Amino acid sequence: MKVALLCSECGSRNYHVKQAADKDGTRLTMKKFCKQCNRHTIHKSSI
């Protein structure tokens, strides 16, 4: 399943990753560079 990663600061969708369809409902969290904020921020999966 392809999901978008949302920036926790500005809410922009900067990245798309493939994630296995888990039944536990946990969200993927990564620290990535946001082009809008111009710094590294926490990005969470949209689903």
Side-chain angles (χ1 to χ4, degrees), residues 5-14 33-39 41-43:
L5 295 178
L6 302 170
C7 176
S8 61
E9 299 287 323
C10 65
S12 64
R13 294 181 174 141
N14 299 321
F33 184 78
C34 179
K35 297 173 193 172
Q36 302 295 324
C37 300
N38 201 24
R39 61 185 170 142
T41 58
I42 302 294
H43 284 69

Side-chain angles (χ1 to χ4, degrees), residues 10-28:
C10 65
S12 64
R13 294 181 174 141
N14 299 321
Y15 298 96
H16 290 85
V17 294
K18 287 188 178 181
Q19 183 179 9
D22 293 336
K23 295 182 181 179
D24 58 356
T26 58
R27 295 176 73 181
L28 181 66

